[in-house]
Amino acid sequence: MQDGHSNEEHSHVTSYGTLVIIWLALLGLTSITVTVAGISLGMYTLFVAMFIAAVKSALVINIFMHIKFEDPIFKVFLLVSALTLLVIFVLTFVDFSFR
Amino acid sequence: MSNNHEIVVPTETHGHVHRDDVGARMGMWLFLFTELLLFGGMFLIYGVYRFQYSEEFHFAAMELNTGIGTLNTIVLLTSSLTVALSISALQKKNKFLSVVFLSLTIVFALAFMVNKFFEWSAKFSHGIYPGSEDLINKSNGEVVFFGLYYVMTGIHGLHIVIGVILLSFILVFLIRDKITPDNFVKLENAGLYWHLVDLIWIFLFPLFYLIQ
């Protein structure tokens, strides 16, 4: 379609250094989540654990899965499916809470 | 007018087969979204029962080995790194390094399953397995917890096994130059699948092993 826009090439190469830094960050977050689990925070424990898991997911999706460097349409797809899942969760929990 | 129905056979006049790598990756992502819904449904069941049987879930989770869970998390995160490194290496036209990293990924995947084997064996020897007498005599919350534990880590484990098979095929393609620095979308898509398996584990790990 457009000139100079080929669907067959990938200009972006993630450097080894970036990948290793992300890996170290993921390991760091894992040790935080294991440590925090040992501290009694009551109801907050679950939310802290889920928050850390969400941060880890964002790192994996953006860098390892290359979403950061993909066409915007990929981000739209991801957003739509994430929101669908969120709506399903929210509706179910609303139903569960007010039953 | 000619009645000849000529069939136009596309010939490779300039030795170039048209590919659409972006489309291939998009298809892979669509598949991953269906996987997200599969696991999402199970996480939803987990969420509701966790609120309903809060105390039983905490009590039942004591049985799980946090150490082996943490070890498997590290193994899986590292395997995600190696598959990403394998793609970068190939992009930098270093086939040897790419093969090494991809092989390491398969080794880590197998290590994960070996750990899982020992973990499940320990549970079985303690009489905790689906339908076991010990389990049936426990409270409802604990039965639900272990049921979800076996189904969710089991289906995740099945994904690991499928991943090992998939990555092995990709490794053969890579060695036989079917995957090259100019055409590596198969490797990328296998990598995407592998990262998804890692993503699911990122949530499974705190939800099952870190409730204390």
Side-chain angles (χ1 to χ4, degrees), chain A residues 10 12 14 18 62-63 66-71 75, chain B residues 25:
Chain A
H10 231 318
H12 188 270
T14 315
T18 308
N62 274 303
I63 311 298
H66 229 259
I67 270 293
K68 198 179 166 189
F69 315 103
E70 288 285 8
D71 290 348
K75 288 155 203 170
Chain B
R25 285 202 301 279

Side-chain angles (χ1 to χ4, degrees), chain B residues 49-209:
Chain B
Y49 279 120
R50 170 138 178 192
F51 280 103
Q52 196 167 349
Y53 297 114
S54 227
E55 276 165 33
E56 283 100 328
F57 266 44
H58 282 245
F59 186 69
M62 299 280 188
E63 291 277 347
L64 298 189
N65 187 334
T66 310
I68 211 165
T70 310
L71 180 66
N72 261 352
T73 304
I74 294 168
V75 167
L76 218 49
L77 287 175
T78 311
S79 74
S80 241
L81 168 74
T82 52
V83 79
L85 284 172
S86 173
I87 295 169
S88 285
L90 192 66
Q91 282 177 310
K92 292 178 187 209
K93 306 199 192 307
N94 190 336
K95 182 187 163 186
F96 173 74
L97 211 53
S98 183
V99 167
V100 168
F101 283 134
L102 193 58
S103 309
L104 277 175
T105 309
I106 296 170
V107 169
F108 285 127
L110 292 172
F112 181 93
M113 285 316 286
V114 169
N115 284 340
K116 192 103 273 185
F117 169 77
F118 284 116
E119 189 194 348
W120 278 21
S121 303
K123 291 284 159 303
F124 280 32
S125 66
H126 286 117
I128 299 170
Y129 51 88
S132 78
E133 219 147 283
D134 287 8
L135 196 56
I136 287 169
N137 291 326
K138 287 180 189 286
S139 67
N140 279 350
E142 284 171 279
V143 174
V144 169
F145 179 85
F146 284 111
L148 284 169
Y149 164 76
Y150 276 113
V151 169
M152 292 177 81
T153 62
I155 293 181
H156 179 265
L158 182 67
H159 278 77
I160 300 267
V161 172
I162 293 168
V164 169
I165 297 166
L166 178 69
L167 291 171
S168 303
F169 272 101
I170 297 297
L171 181 63
V172 172
F173 286 148
L174 186 60
I175 291 168
R176 292 187 181 167
D177 286 325
K178 299 278 189 238
I179 294 173
T180 60
D182 300 316
N183 182 4
F184 56 94
V185 73
K186 286 191 193 75
L187 174 62
E188 280 188 301
N189 282 349
L192 285 176
Y193 174 84
W194 193 250
H195 293 309
L196 178 93
V197 174
D198 186 29
L199 273 182
I200 303 292
W201 185 259
I202 285 176
F203 284 92
L204 284 179
F205 170 61
L207 289 177
F208 282 100
Y209 295 84

Side-chain angles (χ1 to χ4, degrees), chain A residues 7-8 10 12 14 16 19 23 30 37 46 50 57 64-65 67 70 73-74 77 81 89 92-93, chain B residues 16 18-22 25-26 29 33 44 50 77-78 81 88-89 91 188 192 195 199 203 207 212:
Chain A
N7 272 357
E8 300 176 12
H10 231 318
H12 188 270
T14 315
Y16 299 145
L19 294 175
W23 173 68
T30 304
L46 178 64
M50 287 302 96
S57 305
F64 282 178
M65 297 176 95
I67 270 293
E70 288 285 8
I73 190 68
F74 282 78
F77 277 13
S81 50
F89 268 76
T92 308
F93 275 99
Chain B
H16 179 92
H18 180 72
R19 302 195 322 261
D20 185 354
D21 290 349
V22 174
R25 285 202 301 279
M26 200 177 279
W29 273 101
F33 295 146
L44 187 63
R50 170 138 178 192
L77 287 175
T78 311
L81 168 74
S88 285
Q91 282 177 310
E188 280 188 301
L192 285 176
H195 293 309
L199 273 182
F203 284 92
L207 289 177
Q212 272 142 12

Side-chain angles (χ1 to χ4, degrees), chain A:
Chain A
M1 245 164 67
Q2 301 117 299
D3 281 324
H5 180 91
S6 166
N7 272 357
E8 300 176 12
E9 275 167 29
H10 231 318
S11 49
H12 188 270
V13 182
T14 315
S15 73
Y16 299 145
T18 308
L19 294 175
V20 170
I21 287 166
I22 296 299
W23 173 68
L24 289 173
L26 289 170
L27 291 185
L29 287 166
T30 304
S31 61
I32 291 171
T33 198
V34 171
T35 314
V36 168
I39 308 164
S40 188
L41 292 170
M43 272 303 287
Y44 294 107
T45 318
L46 178 64
F47 293 106
V48 171
M50 287 302 96
F51 177 73
I52 294 172
V55 173
K56 287 166 81 178
S57 305
L59 290 177
V60 171
I61 291 169
N62 274 303
I63 311 298
F64 282 178
M65 297 176 95
H66 229 259
I67 270 293
K68 198 179 166 189
F69 315 103
E70 288 285 8
D71 290 348
I73 190 68
F74 282 78
K75 288 155 203 170
V76 174
F77 277 13
L78 191 62
L79 198 67
V80 168
S81 50
L83 285 178
T84 307
L85 206 57
L86 185 70
V87 166
I88 294 170
F89 268 76
V90 169
L91 287 180
T92 308
F93 275 99
V94 166
D95 176 47
F96 175 67
S97 311
F98 296 102
R99 206 163 261 255

